[in-house]
Amino acid sequence: LTALGSVRPGAWLAAALVLAFLLLFLVAPVATVFVAAFADADGTPTLGHVAAFFSQGLMREAFWNSLWVASASAFFASLIAVPLAYLTVRFRFRGALAIQTLGVLPLVMPPFVGAVALQLVFGRSGTVNLLLNEWLGFTVPVMEGLAGVVFVESIHYFPFVLLNLTVALRNIDGAMEEAAQNLGCRGFRLFRRVVFPLALPGFVAGASLVFVKVFDDLGTPLVMGQTNLLAPQAYLRITRVGLEDPLGYVTSVILVLFSVLAMALAARTLKGRDFATLQKGGAGLAKRRLTPWQSVLAYGWIALVLVVTLAPHAGVLLLSFASVWSFSPLPDGYTLAHYETVFRDSAGTIRNTLLYCGIAAGLDVAIGAAIAYLMLRTNLPGRRALDGLATAALAVPGIVLAIGYLRVFQGVTIPGTDTLLTSTWLLIAIAYAVRRLPYALRSCVAALQQLHVSLEEAAESLGATKARTVRRIVLPLMAGGLLAGFVTSFITAAVELSATILLVSADSQAPMSYGIYLYLQSVAGRGPGAALGVLAIAVVAVGTWISHVVVERTQRR
Amino acid sequence: MKSTLLAGAAVLLAALPLAAAAGTVTVVTSFPKELTQAYKTAFEKANPTIKLEILNKNTVQGIAYVRELPVGQRPEVFWASAPDAFEVLAGLSLLEPVGDLANKAAPQKVGNYPINNPQGLYLGQALAGYGLMWNTRYLQANKVPVPREWADLTKAAYFGHVAMSSPSRSGTTHLTVETLLQGEGWEKGWRQLLEIAGNSAAVTERSFGVPDGVNNGQFGVGLVIDFFGLAGKYSGFPVEFHYPSVTAVVPANIGLVAGAKNPAEAKKFIAFSVSQEGQQLLLDPKISRLPILPPEQLGGKVPAGYPNAFEIAKRAKVHFDSDLSEARYNVVSALFDQAITFRLKELQAATKAIHDAEAALAKKPNAQGAALVKQARDAAFSPVVGPQMAGDKNFLALFAANKKSADVNKQVTGLEDRWNAAAREQYAKARTLAEQAGALAR
């Protein structure tokens, strides 16, 4: 291998910086949690805690339940997202922009708020069931049991598939599709044999994200009263017995391990295949027309999905204006008082969210692009490990990461002051960056994977230096992917709660997600909580729309 | 572009304070935002030089948070419902005496429970009792009668309409469960709890999930601490709240944390919280807590029909024993979760089968069927831990021992697994028996 000699110093430096960040803010905190899971009271290693875990029938049941819920959610999320993505990218279609923007909306709502809102619409005494019962005399228990969790999670996380698949579809060389059409390939066969396989990296990236997110999700099952899943069990143990409880750590360790396994399996299915196409698609490709009956089907499906997807938003919006809403299809009356309360008491949370998530998403795109480049374009030893390490962050529940931070940085002060690092908001922003890095990384990798290396070789053979090639060729062509990464990272960080709960050390540091959570913790606070939720959705929707416009513009260039 | 982004971030970092400035009082509390916001606004208005920072943690997390911070970095004030939590803090020497800050106008006791800690380590700041709240529209629509006592909720009419939280999740639910256990005794108390839980639609994760669900009509009846029900009622929701005869009135407390930065300012806040002005804030409809001052000392601000804690305490049957509660805290929490929270589906199914069998037998009596139903009830509603065991010192000590030790951990989790398995088995058995009984009446 000529590898080592050809690795440039810049690559080494980038790798070293990325590695230092990951070691300090991901590996060390998680390691302390692992140690706690395998240490006896006097510090000697033991497997006793693990044995205790597996001897519990409840824990085994929780494990299978988690696996089932996560798989089913990934399946249903795909079912929603794949038609949406294909239709909007490949067909002449009115309202495509609206669907792209609306499709992201579920992500901008903290999952627990989504679950609360869906209860209002689809719950036992929700609008739909009250009306059904009144008119037809029966109710539909969509929000009950594990199936209810799958329902909420699919609606909440399908945008992961949509976002990634859309970028992948756009990047497919239009010539491939045209060639297939010239050879007589049409309709579903064209999609199944040509388009979908070429977009597979985007799809697998999205679907595996859904699986892991659902596997780790805490808020939704808790709000819906489902405790027999792994993440709630870890949380319930740690908060019931206290931080000393080893079973909580064992559960965390198992959560981490299985999520890593799922990601590794996804990576394996893509291994050894070539998804690169020479040209970027999009602008050059003529969008096809739908036949009339195809239009009916397409619009019908999209309308149905949109109605269900937007139900939580409608619920939250109504709630934010409702004076009293109790056991009735619609609120009793309407008021602006909740918005007044929010602007008077909680304006700071909006600023905090923008600040923390901006920092986190910026860090993520920088690190993600660096790792993608190192992995796909250099022979740096251990580059796959770097990718694996960053991706592993996905498998770390927020609560585990936060506990790790509190342990690792306990008593550490900011240099030159006597302020504790753990009492600042810096750790919140860093925790967001670490937790959301995998999303940005996937987008960066998918973008670079689809960029054929011959373009860079051409630049270099024309005399451009490596740095210049990266700056003038690689980054501009990756821009769509980078931006998608930034947005995914930003908006999912904006709704992060589990790490936030533990790391906030004063209400004035609270971001919006935590502000909403606080409001929802009080009897008369649902209104202001919903109002703040609406503002959060607005902030992030505007950001998403702007990014979409930018993506469109770069594509046209 | 990247450099401008970085520069922008640097400017933002420089412009924003990273942490709370000096001269601030940080309050760790489990209380809801309306309450803390009202106190923050009023206190900062009265003391413009002092800034109040609120940090919301549930009680258990709050203790861990305070304990893990070094001296000089701790928050100033701890403010929460559960008296047990303050006993734990006092045991860890994390509280400074504040006896001299007490409001002299407040009575010594509510019922026979001292309002302020006799050693002066923490003060009562508000009073709370436990009871039932219900949604009037829900009950009317589903033709469910209005409940008056805990025992009402065990009836078949309430199946699927009740909601409760778990004692491991919330300090207030723990107090409610413990009140019931102390009021009825271990055996009968658990029996009633299991019967009510069998009628429950959900065991919510957050204690707040219960009043929230009753307010919006997901649930018909909820077991709650009084201010949850009262705040809903006085905020305009179609809900009512009632104290059953088995209730206790216990103070929610406030204390000064040892090793904090600004104890002098913190004392001002504590004194403010128990002053007449501070107590009047409790009467806000969105807060609706019971003051430690009798109504005549609140300057005529008490709304008509507002509950009087001292009257309720007089007729309350239970004299809450916080030592007993603390001693079996972990056992009660663990048992509740293993037998109820994690096995709710099976418990609901058994309860439904029993109600069905009893309804069938009422129409067509059958001696053998009645005997089978009785067996089914015994199987489903007997606690898997008996009263002798619950009083056993060694047994209780096991639950308080260091869980980091693999041996202790194995014993505890082994026990919990047995409870869980036993509960599941009993519920299945009860269901079979009840179904047999029902078949006989057909």
Side-chain angles (χ1 to χ4, degrees), chain B residues 21 39 73 80 90 124 196 207 216 223 240 252 294 313 367 431 439:
Chain B
Y39 276 85
Q73 299 283 3
I196 296 173
S207 60
N216 70 33
L223 280 64
E240 288 293 336
R431 188 177 168 181

mmCIF file with all atom_site columns, all heavy atoms in Angstrom, chain B residues 21 39 73 80 90 124 196 207 216 223 240 252 294 313 367 431 439:
data_model
loop_
_atom_site.group_PDB
_atom_site.id
_atom_site.type_symbol
_atom_site.label_atom_id
_atom_site.label_alt_id
_atom_site.label_comp_id
_atom_site.label_asym_id
_atom_site.label_entity_id
_atom_site.label_seq_id
_atom_site.pdbx_PDB_ins_code
_atom_site.Cartn_x
_atom_site.Cartn_y
_atom_site.Cartn_z
_atom_site.occupancy
_atom_site.B_iso_or_equiv
_atom_site.pdbx_formal_charge
_atom_site.auth_seq_id
_atom_site.auth_comp_id
_atom_site.auth_asym_id
_atom_site.auth_atom_id
_atom_site.pdbx_PDB_model_num
ATOM 1   N N   . ALA B 1 21  ? -24.787 35.442  37.081 1.00 0.00 ? 21  ALA B N   1
ATOM 2   C CA  . ALA B 1 21  ? -23.876 36.406  37.677 1.00 0.00 ? 21  ALA B CA  1
ATOM 3   C C   . ALA B 1 21  ? -23.930 36.326  39.203 1.00 0.00 ? 21  ALA B C   1
ATOM 4   O O   . ALA B 1 21  ? -24.800 35.667  39.773 1.00 0.00 ? 21  ALA B O   1
ATOM 5   C CB  . ALA B 1 21  ? -24.257 37.809  37.209 1.00 0.00 ? 21  ALA B CB  1
ATOM 6   N N   . TYR B 1 39  ? -43.488 33.998  41.974 1.00 0.00 ? 39  TYR B N   1
ATOM 7   C CA  . TYR B 1 39  ? -42.585 34.353  43.063 1.00 0.00 ? 39  TYR B CA  1
ATOM 8   C C   . TYR B 1 39  ? -41.393 35.151  42.564 1.00 0.00 ? 39  TYR B C   1
ATOM 9   O O   . TYR B 1 39  ? -40.922 36.072  43.222 1.00 0.00 ? 39  TYR B O   1
ATOM 10  C CB  . TYR B 1 39  ? -42.128 33.096  43.815 1.00 0.00 ? 39  TYR B CB  1
ATOM 11  C CG  . TYR B 1 39  ? -43.136 32.678  44.866 1.00 0.00 ? 39  TYR B CG  1
ATOM 12  C CD1 . TYR B 1 39  ? -44.220 31.882  44.526 1.00 0.00 ? 39  TYR B CD1 1
ATOM 13  C CD2 . TYR B 1 39  ? -43.028 33.130  46.178 1.00 0.00 ? 39  TYR B CD2 1
ATOM 14  C CE1 . TYR B 1 39  ? -45.166 31.521  45.463 1.00 0.00 ? 39  TYR B CE1 1
ATOM 15  C CE2 . TYR B 1 39  ? -43.977 32.776  47.130 1.00 0.00 ? 39  TYR B CE2 1
ATOM 16  C CZ  . TYR B 1 39  ? -45.037 31.978  46.775 1.00 0.00 ? 39  TYR B CZ  1
ATOM 17  O OH  . TYR B 1 39  ? -45.982 31.629  47.696 1.00 0.00 ? 39  TYR B OH  1
ATOM 18  N N   . GLN B 1 73  ? -20.438 26.146  45.134 1.00 0.00 ? 73  GLN B N   1
ATOM 19  C CA  . GLN B 1 73  ? -21.033 26.143  43.801 1.00 0.00 ? 73  GLN B CA  1
ATOM 20  C C   . GLN B 1 73  ? -22.486 25.708  43.845 1.00 0.00 ? 73  GLN B C   1
ATOM 21  O O   . GLN B 1 73  ? -23.136 25.600  42.817 1.00 0.00 ? 73  GLN B O   1
ATOM 22  C CB  . GLN B 1 73  ? -20.273 25.180  42.875 1.00 0.00 ? 73  GLN B CB  1
ATOM 23  C CG  . GLN B 1 73  ? -18.825 25.538  42.670 1.00 0.00 ? 73  GLN B CG  1
ATOM 24  C CD  . GLN B 1 73  ? -18.652 26.693  41.698 1.00 0.00 ? 73  GLN B CD  1
ATOM 25  O OE1 . GLN B 1 73  ? -19.622 27.265  41.219 1.00 0.00 ? 73  GLN B OE1 1
ATOM 26  N NE2 . GLN B 1 73  ? -17.411 27.063  41.436 1.00 0.00 ? 73  GLN B NE2 1
ATOM 27  N N   . ALA B 1 80  ? -39.554 22.074  47.642 1.00 0.00 ? 80  ALA B N   1
ATOM 28  C CA  . ALA B 1 80  ? -40.256 20.923  47.066 1.00 0.00 ? 80  ALA B CA  1
ATOM 29  C C   . ALA B 1 80  ? -41.346 20.429  48.003 1.00 0.00 ? 80  ALA B C   1
ATOM 30  O O   . ALA B 1 80  ? -41.413 20.825  49.163 1.00 0.00 ? 80  ALA B O   1
ATOM 31  C CB  . ALA B 1 80  ? -39.272 19.802  46.773 1.00 0.00 ? 80  ALA B CB  1
ATOM 32  N N   . ALA B 1 90  ? -31.147 16.794  55.038 1.00 0.00 ? 90  ALA B N   1
ATOM 33  C CA  . ALA B 1 90  ? -30.663 17.052  56.398 1.00 0.00 ? 90  ALA B CA  1
ATOM 34  C C   . ALA B 1 90  ? -29.687 15.962  56.810 1.00 0.00 ? 90  ALA B C   1
ATOM 35  O O   . ALA B 1 90  ? -28.640 16.242  57.408 1.00 0.00 ? 90  ALA B O   1
ATOM 36  C CB  . ALA B 1 90  ? -31.847 17.112  57.365 1.00 0.00 ? 90  ALA B CB  1
ATOM 37  N N   . GLY B 1 124 ? -42.141 24.965  56.563 1.00 0.00 ? 124 GLY B N   1
ATOM 38  C CA  . GLY B 1 124 ? -43.315 24.693  55.728 1.00 0.00 ? 124 GLY B CA  1
ATOM 39  C C   . GLY B 1 124 ? -43.643 25.941  54.927 1.00 0.00 ? 124 GLY B C   1
ATOM 40  O O   . GLY B 1 124 ? -43.596 27.051  55.464 1.00 0.00 ? 124 GLY B O   1
ATOM 41  N N   . ILE B 1 196 ? -58.078 -0.197  42.331 1.00 0.00 ? 196 ILE B N   1
ATOM 42  C CA  . ILE B 1 196 ? -58.179 1.077   41.610 1.00 0.00 ? 196 ILE B CA  1
ATOM 43  C C   . ILE B 1 196 ? -57.298 1.026   40.357 1.00 0.00 ? 196 ILE B C   1
ATOM 44  O O   . ILE B 1 196 ? -57.724 1.427   39.265 1.00 0.00 ? 196 ILE B O   1
ATOM 45  C CB  . ILE B 1 196 ? -57.754 2.262   42.510 1.00 0.00 ? 196 ILE B CB  1
ATOM 46  C CG1 . ILE B 1 196 ? -58.721 2.395   43.689 1.00 0.00 ? 196 ILE B CG1 1
ATOM 47  C CG2 . ILE B 1 196 ? -57.710 3.556   41.715 1.00 0.00 ? 196 ILE B CG2 1
ATOM 48  C CD1 . ILE B 1 196 ? -58.294 3.413   44.716 1.00 0.00 ? 196 ILE B CD1 1
ATOM 49  N N   . SER B 1 207 ? -46.300 12.891  37.246 1.00 0.00 ? 207 SER B N   1
ATOM 50  C CA  . SER B 1 207 ? -47.442 13.059  38.136 1.00 0.00 ? 207 SER B CA  1
ATOM 51  C C   . SER B 1 207 ? -48.398 14.046  37.498 1.00 0.00 ? 207 SER B C   1
ATOM 52  O O   . SER B 1 207 ? -49.605 13.956  37.636 1.00 0.00 ? 207 SER B O   1
ATOM 53  C CB  . SER B 1 207 ? -46.997 13.572  39.500 1.00 0.00 ? 207 SER B CB  1
ATOM 54  O OG  . SER B 1 207 ? -46.362 14.822  39.359 1.00 0.00 ? 207 SER B OG  1
ATOM 55  N N   . ASN B 1 216 ? -58.100 17.678  30.164 1.00 0.00 ? 216 ASN B N   1
ATOM 56  C CA  . ASN B 1 216 ? -58.469 17.683  28.746 1.00 0.00 ? 216 ASN B CA  1
ATOM 57  C C   . ASN B 1 216 ? -59.428 16.563  28.381 1.00 0.00 ? 216 ASN B C   1
ATOM 58  O O   . ASN B 1 216 ? -59.794 16.421  27.222 1.00 0.00 ? 216 ASN B O   1
ATOM 59  C CB  . ASN B 1 216 ? -57.231 17.702  27.850 1.00 0.00 ? 216 ASN B CB  1
ATOM 60  C CG  . ASN B 1 216 ? -56.468 16.406  27.871 1.00 0.00 ? 216 ASN B CG  1
ATOM 61  O OD1 . ASN B 1 216 ? -57.043 15.319  28.001 1.00 0.00 ? 216 ASN B OD1 1
ATOM 62  N ND2 . ASN B 1 216 ? -55.164 16.490  27.749 1.00 0.00 ? 216 ASN B ND2 1
ATOM 63  N N   . LEU B 1 223 ? -56.240 10.456  40.708 1.00 0.00 ? 223 LEU B N   1
ATOM 64  C CA  . LEU B 1 223 ? -55.780 10.562  42.091 1.00 0.00 ? 223 LEU B CA  1
ATOM 65  C C   . LEU B 1 223 ? -54.684 11.611  42.119 1.00 0.00 ? 223 LEU B C   1
ATOM 66  O O   . LEU B 1 223 ? -53.642 11.411  41.491 1.00 0.00 ? 223 LEU B O   1
ATOM 67  C CB  . LEU B 1 223 ? -55.203 9.227   42.567 1.00 0.00 ? 223 LEU B CB  1
ATOM 68  C CG  . LEU B 1 223 ? -56.159 8.130   43.002 1.00 0.00 ? 223 LEU B CG  1
ATOM 69  C CD1 . LEU B 1 223 ? -57.012 7.676   41.837 1.00 0.00 ? 223 LEU B CD1 1
ATOM 70  C CD2 . LEU B 1 223 ? -55.388 6.957   43.583 1.00 0.00 ? 223 LEU B CD2 1
ATOM 71  N N   . GLU B 1 240 ? -63.715 19.037  39.009 1.00 0.00 ? 240 GLU B N   1
ATOM 72  C CA  . GLU B 1 240 ? -63.990 19.247  40.423 1.00 0.00 ? 240 GLU B CA  1
ATOM 73  C C   . GLU B 1 240 ? -62.975 18.461  41.227 1.00 0.00 ? 240 GLU B C   1
ATOM 74  O O   . GLU B 1 240 ? -62.384 17.499  40.738 1.00 0.00 ? 240 GLU B O   1
ATOM 75  C CB  . GLU B 1 240 ? -65.406 18.755  40.771 1.00 0.00 ? 240 GLU B CB  1
ATOM 76  C CG  . GLU B 1 240 ? -66.521 19.640  40.238 1.00 0.00 ? 240 GLU B CG  1
ATOM 77  C CD  . GLU B 1 240 ? -66.558 21.015  40.910 1.00 0.00 ? 240 GLU B CD  1
ATOM 78  O OE1 . GLU B 1 240 ? -66.053 21.147  42.055 1.00 0.00 ? 240 GLU B OE1 1
ATOM 79  O OE2 . GLU B 1 240 ? -67.075 21.957  40.290 1.00 0.00 ? 240 GLU B OE2 1
ATOM 80  N N   . ALA B 1 252 ? -45.572 21.418  52.230 1.00 0.00 ? 252 ALA B N   1
ATOM 81  C CA  . ALA B 1 252 ? -44.488 21.474  51.247 1.00 0.00 ? 252 ALA B CA  1
ATOM 82  C C   . ALA B 1 252 ? -43.453 22.424  51.839 1.00 0.00 ? 252 ALA B C   1
ATOM 83  O O   . ALA B 1 252 ? -43.804 23.357  52.540 1.00 0.00 ? 252 ALA B O   1
ATOM 84  C CB  . ALA B 1 252 ? -45.005 22.006  49.928 1.00 0.00 ? 252 ALA B CB  1
ATOM 85  N N   . PRO B 1 294 ? -53.557 30.878  58.534 1.00 0.00 ? 294 PRO B N   1
ATOM 86  C CA  . PRO B 1 294 ? -55.019 30.711  58.540 1.00 0.00 ? 294 PRO B CA  1
ATOM 87  C C   . PRO B 1 294 ? -55.658 31.814  57.701 1.00 0.00 ? 294 PRO B C   1
ATOM 88  O O   . PRO B 1 294 ? -55.076 32.905  57.578 1.00 0.00 ? 294 PRO B O   1
ATOM 89  C CB  . PRO B 1 294 ? -55.400 30.871  60.017 1.00 0.00 ? 294 PRO B CB  1
ATOM 90  C CG  . PRO B 1 294 ? -54.126 30.890  60.783 1.00 0.00 ? 294 PRO B CG  1
ATOM 91  C CD  . PRO B 1 294 ? -53.010 31.186  59.860 1.00 0.00 ? 294 PRO B CD  1
ATOM 92  N N   . ALA B 1 313 ? -57.543 19.190  57.803 1.00 0.00 ? 313 ALA B N   1
ATOM 93  C CA  . ALA B 1 313 ? -56.668 18.402  58.674 1.00 0.00 ? 313 ALA B CA  1
ATOM 94  C C   . ALA B 1 313 ? -57.446 17.879  59.874 1.00 0.00 ? 313 ALA B C   1
ATOM 95  O O   . ALA B 1 313 ? -57.188 16.774  60.358 1.00 0.00 ? 313 ALA B O   1
ATOM 96  C CB  . ALA B 1 313 ? -55.485 19.254  59.120 1.00 0.00 ? 313 ALA B CB  1
ATOM 97  N N   . ALA B 1 367 ? -73.693 -20.315 43.256 1.00 0.00 ? 367 ALA B N   1
ATOM 98  C CA  . ALA B 1 367 ? -72.816 -20.381 44.433 1.00 0.00 ? 367 ALA B CA  1
ATOM 99  C C   . ALA B 1 367 ? -71.383 -20.701 44.045 1.00 0.00 ? 367 ALA B C   1
ATOM 100 O O   . ALA B 1 367 ? -70.429 -20.090 44.530 1.00 0.00 ? 367 ALA B O   1
ATOM 101 C CB  . ALA B 1 367 ? -73.339 -21.433 45.410 1.00 0.00 ? 367 ALA B CB  1
ATOM 102 N N   . ARG B 1 431 ? -57.769 -14.072 36.050 1.00 0.00 ? 431 ARG B N   1
ATOM 103 C CA  . ARG B 1 431 ? -58.551 -13.931 34.825 1.00 0.00 ? 431 ARG B CA  1
ATOM 104 C C   . ARG B 1 431 ? -59.218 -15.257 34.461 1.00 0.00 ? 431 ARG B C   1
ATOM 105 O O   . ARG B 1 431 ? -60.407 -15.304 34.139 1.00 0.00 ? 431 ARG B O   1
ATOM 106 C CB  . ARG B 1 431 ? -57.618 -13.476 33.702 1.00 0.00 ? 431 ARG B CB  1
ATOM 107 C CG  . ARG B 1 431 ? -58.360 -13.123 32.467 1.00 0.00 ? 431 ARG B CG  1
ATOM 108 C CD  . ARG B 1 431 ? -57.422 -12.603 31.417 1.00 0.00 ? 431 ARG B CD  1
ATOM 109 N NE  . ARG B 1 431 ? -58.109 -12.536 30.137 1.00 0.00 ? 431 ARG B NE  1
ATOM 110 C CZ  . ARG B 1 431 ? -57.516 -12.139 29.026 1.00 0.00 ? 431 ARG B CZ  1
ATOM 111 N NH1 . ARG B 1 431 ? -56.245 -11.785 29.054 1.00 0.00 ? 431 ARG B NH1 1
ATOM 112 N NH2 . ARG B 1 431 ? -58.182 -12.100 27.902 1.00 0.00 ? 431 ARG B NH2 1
ATOM 113 N N   . ALA B 1 439 ? -68.641 -18.187 32.968 1.00 0.00 ? 439 ALA B N   1
ATOM 114 C CA  . ALA B 1 439 ? -69.219 -19.253 32.147 1.00 0.00 ? 439 ALA B CA  1
ATOM 115 C C   . ALA B 1 439 ? -70.327 -19.978 32.899 1.00 0.00 ? 439 ALA B C   1
ATOM 116 O O   . ALA B 1 439 ? -71.333 -20.398 32.315 1.00 0.00 ? 439 ALA B O   1
ATOM 117 C CB  . ALA B 1 439 ? -68.130 -20.225 31.724 1.00 0.00 ? 439 ALA B CB  1
#
